[in-house]
Amino acid sequence: MDLRQGIGLRKLGKTADEFQQDLLSNLYYRRGTTVESASARDAYETLSLTVRDRLAERRARTAAAHYASNPRWVYYLSAEYLLGAQLEQNLLYSGTGNLAAEAVKALGFSLEDLEDLDVEPGLGNGGLGRLAACLVDSLATRDIPAVGYGIRYDLGIFRQIITENGQTELPDDWAFQGNPWEFPAPDDRQTVGFYGHTEPVPGSPDRKVWVPGEIVLGEPSHMLVPGYGTDTVNIVRLWSAKASEASFDLSRFSAGQYAEAVQEAVRAENISKVLYPDDSTELGRELRLKQQYFLVSCSLRDIIRRFRLRNEDWSEFADKTVIQLNDTHPTIAIPELMRLLVDEYELDWSKAWEITRKTFAYTCHTLLPEALETWPVRLIEKLLPRHLEIIYVINMLFLREVGAQFPGDQDRIRRMSIIQEEPERRVRMAHLAVVGTEAVNGVAELHSKLLRETVLDDFADLWPAKFQNVTNGISPRRFIRIANPRLSDLITEGLGDDSWLRDLEKLAGLESLIGDASFRDRWQSIKRANKVALAAGDPDSLTDVMIKRFHEYKRQQLKLLHVVTLYQRIHANPAGDWVPRTVLFAGKAAPAYHAAKDLIQLIATVGATIAADPVASPYLKVVFPSNYNVTLAEKIIPAADLSEQISLAGKEASGTGNMKLALNGAVTIGTLDGANIEIRARVGEDNFFLFGLDAYEAAQARINGYQPRAFYEHDAELRAAIDALGSGAFGDVGHRVASSLLGWDEYLTLADYRAYLDAQAQVEEAWRDRDRWIRMSILNTAHSGFFSSDRTVADYAARIWRVAPVPVPHED
Ligand SMILES: *Cc1c(COP(=O)(O)O)cnc(C)c1O
């Protein structure tokens, strides 16, 4: 048999009996155990392998189709992937849910029990990592040849425990018991250098030889990324750092110096040991820069290896390759590709620069100045000496171009330089990313506009066509089909089939069902059933959720002030006609972000005070489940009535939590920020509770000398809420939060407080008219189709990547 003709595989079982046979084979031959002694763990691992085999078969066909067509590839470079649990997703995408349920029952287990053993790989902090996961899902669903590259951190985002003492962090050793979803590929290992020095190459002024002072190995493993409703299976390839054999010091070991013998190896392997748990500030630690270069160096060599399987001529590289940089974390890829092309493959500088610029595209994810990455020149010089030289040349040539366009404008040159001079010399990674790429995009309309008008305005003057918007999206498979099966079934019934899962704009068809009272009733009963399943509070209360990372710009403090005011109002009038609410917070704070951790502790303490209060507790409950992650999000979102998206306008780049909640029929209360604006435009002004300053008013308020105390003094309810927090009843945290709000209030919480409470009053009025609320809920779902990441990927494919799908032939 010629294995290159087709993939030559024996068929995997399709019927329940055959599936069970495959499961048994895996139990015996791969897990090495028996039916009699199989533990739940054995059953979980065996089931996962059986499901994985079905995807692996599709993967083999995908690779054959890709190899045959030699297409243009999308390579997504991201320091984070927040993939979520794999078993349920892969059951759905392989269409084996029913077969699996039956088969594991025969082993004496329920599918739900086994799903509980499926640990999500927490290889990301929040929105940025989850976006990467949604985009790779949609790339496969759209049959686009793509590989996602990332780091296989041993320890993912910390596990969080909430008590009245606030947040405690525990290490997340997510693969401690093994991870059945990944395939190690040690043969594709790469060698990565650090430190050392450079030497000139006689007769070649552009080239240098870099002699690294430390060598680390990068070993890949990949996870399968199936498309939904198609045969394509792409991969995410994750790199682990390994010490080279030479780093074990046998002579020290023999001399009894055990710790010293392995210290070099430990240092090497620390590179992929832990995910940095900060999601919007950059600490500038050496190990972090090492992680970034490690990811980039391994991935670029792998990309080049793959290119050379089918191509020889470098002039085709940029036609066959587009590399998307997910934020600035992988930006060192720009000088790295230059180094590879110029120093190793001996292309001349201008040719290499043309290829490099055409190959990369950059997605910016922030507007916060503290989140814009810069690295000390000294550090790059020490760790990556050749890259610093290349960055200097790139900068010199770039500033010459600026000088030619804007003669004599020294100030502009200083602003645009890749090197910041004051107060210390640093490399501005966002500038490098704009200069070295063909396209730059923001992640929502407002964000892209503000990037052009503020953070990157000089660059937009120079290259207006380079700047684009691609509004973020979410995977409808994970965030409604898997998270909310009840609602998905109703939608499928209402629309006639489930093709909306691949074409989410079809949800608009729900609008015509709004007049049907029995449809509305079922919609409401499903929301109620989801609340019962969540078991967070009275299922008939208004379930008001704020779930996202803790950050002052997101303004959990504003929600807290609302809770305290409600509490005080109830106390002032216990017989009032109060709308019962369950306020649910979830989210982690960076371990070093003290103000955010204070807020978590204060919310937990206020929640406990309310719970112990017989007057308020019938109407108001605060719950704070620990350890917000994708798995928890999938439980909370289907139960939400009200979605809190209350960041200070101009600070949240897009948000994607807002999209997940709207898709599941939660109504948003929000500011004109990020994608909230686009959600409101689609679901309709009447189905969205808008409040607060807009981005321009917010910026202006700061310029005009914003005084939080003036708001405090003029608003008795606000004063009472802040006084209660600072009264001593909530200890030092209460004092710190109250005085931070009164002293500076960086994110204008007090300025928006009254507008927010007014909007919450409108929420309650709408809630009391239950029929009106259900209609609003249905309209939110019906008009969320735009926020599918399938649409996001189609936008990138058409406007930035210019790639076409490569269908994988279907086999029965
Ligand atoms: C979607 C998601 C986020 C992003 O939420 P935002 O509200 O957009 O900040 C963060 N964490 C998890 C686990 C998510 O699923």
Side-chain angles (χ1 to χ4, degrees):
M1 180 168 65
D2 180 357
L3 290 185
R4 291 199 175 265
Q5 300 293 308
I7 60 165
L9 278 175
R10 182 162 51 79
K11 294 277 179 285
L12 293 163
K14 298 278 183 223
T15 67
D17 271 356
E18 290 164 348
F19 189 91
Q20 210 158 317
Q21 289 280 311
D22 293 339
L23 190 78
L24 278 181
S25 299
N26 285 331
L27 186 73
Y28 299 147
Y29 302 139
R30 286 157 91 182
R31 187 68 181 168
T33 186
T34 61
V35 174
E36 292 75 13
S37 57
S39 65
R41 182 81 210 171
D42 293 324
Y44 161 73
E45 292 271 349
T46 306
L47 173 63
S48 300
L49 294 176
T50 310
V51 173
R52 194 185 76 172
D53 286 345
R54 274 135 187 90
L55 299 180
E57 184 270 340
R58 275 167 56 186
R59 169 69 197 151
R61 282 190 281 118
T62 304
H66 289 170
Y67 190 83
S69 76
N70 189 18
R72 175 168 164 86
W73 285 85
V74 175
Y75 296 112
Y76 198 78
L77 252 61
S78 178
E80 302 190 8
Y81 287 87
L82 205 50
L83 294 167
Q86 296 293 293
L87 176 57
E88 211 177 340
Q89 168 192 287
N90 290 340
L91 286 169
L92 174 68
Y93 283 57
S94 63
T96 50
N98 294 335
L99 301 180
E102 250 184 85
V104 298
K105 214 187 305 157
L107 282 181
F109 298 97
S110 79
L111 200 48
E112 291 70 35
D113 292 343
L114 302 189
E115 279 165 2
D116 287 343
L117 299 179
D118 193 46
V119 178
E120 76 170 78
L123 308 181
N125 272 284
L128 174 138
R130 185 55 229 176
L131 180 75
C134 285
L135 293 187
V136 293
D137 171 321
S138 291
L139 278 161
T141 297
R142 292 223 172 253
D143 296 317
I144 295 173
V147 177
Y149 284 103
I151 300 175
R152 189 188 180 287
Y153 304 104
D154 293 341
L155 303 175
I157 186 67
F158 62 85
R159 268 192 307 126
Q160 177 202 53
I161 294 177
I162 305 275
T163 66
E164 278 181 53
N165 295 323
Q167 165 177 295
T168 309
E169 301 102 24
L170 296 173
D172 169 43
D173 194 354
W174 62 280
F176 181 70
Q177 299 198 67
N179 171 23
W181 302 109
E182 70 187 309
F183 294 89
D187 284 357
D188 288 340
R189 138 175 1 108
Q190 300 292 352
T191 302
V192 183
F194 295 101
Y195 308 105
H197 65 277
T198 66
E199 292 170 2
V201 177
S204 303
D206 287 346
R207 290 178 59 210
K208 287 284 185 68
V209 173
W210 173 28
V211 185
E214 181 184 345
I215 296 286
V216 173
L217 302 177
E219 213 167 87
S221 59
H222 59 263
M223 293 176 63
L224 301 179
V225 180
Y228 183 76
T230 172
D231 282 53
T232 297
V233 174
N234 287 333
I235 60 170
V236 165
R237 185 153 240 204
L238 303 174
W239 300 96
S240 289
K242 288 270 183 293
S244 62
E245 259 176 299
S247 65
F248 180 72
D249 190 335
L250 190 58
S251 60
R252 287 190 136 162
F253 186 82
S254 306
Q257 298 173 324
Y258 305 119
E260 292 82 352
V262 294
Q263 75 188 13
E264 211 184 306
V266 168
R267 201 165 64 129
E269 296 183 0
N270 271 346
I271 292 176
S272 58
K273 183 60 77 185
V274 60
L275 167 73
Y276 275 90
D278 259 293
D279 78 331
S280 44
T281 46
E282 291 300 339
L283 279 174
R285 296 276 161 76
E286 181 167 336
L287 183 60
R288 168 92 171 178
L289 185 59
K290 271 184 132 172
Q291 286 186 340
Q292 296 184 350
Y293 180 63
F294 173 73
L295 163 64
V296 155
S297 171
C298 293
S299 306
L300 280 183
R301 284 193 189 277
D302 200 55
I303 290 167
I304 290 171
R305 176 188 66 79
R306 294 166 50 87
F307 171 71
R308 298 189 128 206
L309 289 174
R310 299 288 276 135
N311 308 276
E312 277 154 25
D313 193 343
W314 282 110
S315 66
E316 291 191 290
F317 186 74
D319 298 332
K320 294 291 184 191
T321 312
V322 55
I323 303 177
Q324 187 70 42
L325 305 174
N326 193 24
D327 214 324
T328 51
H329 315 140
T331 298
I332 200 77
I334 292 167
E336 172 68 356
L337 184 58
M338 286 300 289
R339 189 187 71 79
L340 291 167
L341 295 178
V342 172
D343 294 354
E344 298 197 5
Y345 294 102
E346 304 186 22
L347 271 67
D348 54 78
W349 180 280
S350 61
K351 181 77 198 154
W353 183 238
E354 189 191 326
I355 292 171
T356 297
R357 255 186 162 172
K358 275 200 197 149
T359 297
F360 287 106
Y362 158 51
T363 304
C364 178
H365 281 269
T366 189
L367 287 162
L368 302 179
E370 67 270 30
L372 287 172
E373 246 188 325
T374 63
W375 289 102
V377 163
R378 286 178 288 101
L379 180 57
I380 298 194
E381 188 168 33
K382 179 174 85 159
L383 191 67
L384 301 168
R386 179 56 181 143
H387 297 77
L388 184 65
E389 294 173 358
I390 291 171
I391 290 168
Y392 280 152
V393 178
I394 292 173
N395 197 37
M396 179 192 71
L397 296 171
F398 164 62
L399 294 180
R400 204 178 279 170
E401 202 178 323
V402 178
Q405 281 277 325
F406 301 95
D409 193 343
Q410 285 307 311
D411 201 42
R412 183 180 294 263
I413 287 178
R414 193 159 355 97
R415 291 196 308 265
M416 295 183 79
S417 174
I418 295 169
I419 308 296
Q420 168 192 309
E421 300 290 341
E422 303 288 338
E424 89 178 309
R425 303 193 75 223
R426 300 179 76 96
V427 178
R428 296 162 164 157
M429 301 309 268
H431 291 203
L432 180 57
V434 176
V435 172
T437 55
E438 192 174 49
V440 176
N441 75 284
V443 290
E445 292 285 355
L446 174 70
H447 176 237
S448 299
K449 182 162 160 350
L450 292 174
L451 280 180
R452 286 190 301 258
E453 289 175 358
T454 63
V455 185
L456 300 174
D457 54 346
D458 290 323
F459 293 91
D461 283 352
L462 186 63
W463 297 311
K466 198 182 243 195
F467 287 80
Q468 305 215 31
N469 173 61
V470 182
T471 298
N472 281 169
I474 55 167
S475 163
R477 276 74 63 183
R478 183 170 291 275
F479 287 108
I480 184 162
R481 175 62 189 79
I482 293 172
N484 199 344
R486 295 182 185 92
L487 197 65
S488 298
D489 287 347
L490 178 63
I491 292 170
T492 296
E493 191 188 315
L495 298 180
D497 62 45
D498 67 0
S499 59
W500 57 277
L501 283 168
R502 273 176 59 86
D503 183 2
L504 202 62
E505 297 272 11
K506 285 190 174 170
L507 289 178
L510 294 173
E511 190 154 6
S512 66
L513 299 171
I514 268 189
D516 175 347
S518 84
F519 183 80
R520 293 200 306 275
D521 279 351
R522 290 172 70 194
W523 191 273
Q524 184 182 11
S525 340
I526 286 168
K527 187 61 89 179
R528 192 177 188 286
N530 291 338
K531 294 194 218 180
V532 171
L534 178 64
D538 176 0
D540 295 314
S541 65
L542 172 63
T543 300
D544 176 357
V545 313
M546 184 155 189
I547 50 176
K548 48 185 75 252
R549 286 298 288 251
F550 270 72
H551 200 294
E552 289 163 287
Y553 85 79
K554 292 179 182 272
R555 298 201 297 191
Q556 278 93 355
Q557 66 274 25
L558 179 57
K559 181 78 228 155
L560 175 62
L561 289 175
H562 175 227
V563 167
V564 172
T565 297
L566 286 180
Y567 174 77
Q568 293 178 326
R569 285 181 185 170
I570 295 167
H571 258 269
N573 178 14
D577 180 20
W578 304 110
V579 168
R581 277 197 200 233
T582 302
V583 179
L584 189 153
F585 288 91
K588 295 173 184 175
Y593 189 175
H594 299 292
K597 290 178 80 170
D598 276 354
L599 261 175
I600 289 178
Q601 188 181 349
L602 189 55
I603 288 167
T605 314
V606 167
T609 304
I610 295 172
D613 183 303
V615 176
S617 56
Y619 304 108
L620 185 59
K621 180 172 182 184
V622 176
V623 288
F624 200 145
S626 298
N627 202 38
Y628 184 57
N629 58 10
V630 178
T631 306
L632 184 57
E634 289 171 24
K635 295 193 171 85
I636 296 170
I637 289 167
D641 295 310
L642 186 64
S643 164
E644 299 277 350
Q645 308 300 336
I646 61 178
S647 53
L648 176 62
K651 299 294 178 187
E652 185 75 87
S654 162
T656 49
N658 47 4
M659 301 169 185
K660 300 167 196 169
L661 285 153
L663 178 61
N664 282 273
V667 184
T668 306
I669 182 166
T671 49
L672 284 174
D673 203 11
N676 292 355
I677 296 173
E678 290 158 76
I679 292 175
R680 178 168 174 262
R682 288 180 169 78
V683 305
E685 292 174 15
D686 295 341
N687 305 303
F688 185 109
F689 297 98
L690 178 71
F691 74 96
L693 301 173
D694 70 21
Y696 297 95
E697 292 165 343
Q700 205 53 52
R702 267 289 160 217
I703 291 164
N704 294 345
Y706 170 64
Q707 297 279 348
R709 241 178 212 286
F711 290 91
Y712 170 84
E713 273 152 18
H714 286 111
D715 189 323
E717 274 194 317
L718 172 60
R719 195 161 60 243
I722 292 181
D723 287 349
L725 293 178
S727 68
F730 302 106
D732 289 346
V733 253
H735 277 299
R736 286 198 294 271
V737 171
S739 60
S740 145
L741 288 173
L742 283 177
W744 177 245
D745 187 17
E746 175 72 30
Y747 298 102
L748 307 179
T749 314
L750 274 49
D752 273 346
Y753 168 87
R754 183 48 55 189
Y756 179 54
L757 265 82
D758 291 346
Q760 286 286 3
Q762 291 171 30
V763 166
E764 294 185 356
E765 191 188 317
W767 178 256
R768 286 176 197 279
D769 179 351
R770 203 51 57 91
D771 208 51
R772 174 175 164 207
W773 188 276
I774 300 163
R775 287 167 192 267
M776 293 173 81
S777 169
I778 297 171
L779 286 170
N780 267 269
T781 302
H783 297 303
S784 287
F786 178 77
F787 301 103
S788 169
S789 48
D790 299 344
R791 187 272 314 151
T792 307
V793 157
D795 279 359
Y796 277 107
R799 291 193 280 117
I800 294 182
W801 301 333
R802 299 187 313 278
V803 289
V806 175
V808 176
H810 182 67
E811 269 181 31
D812 270 322

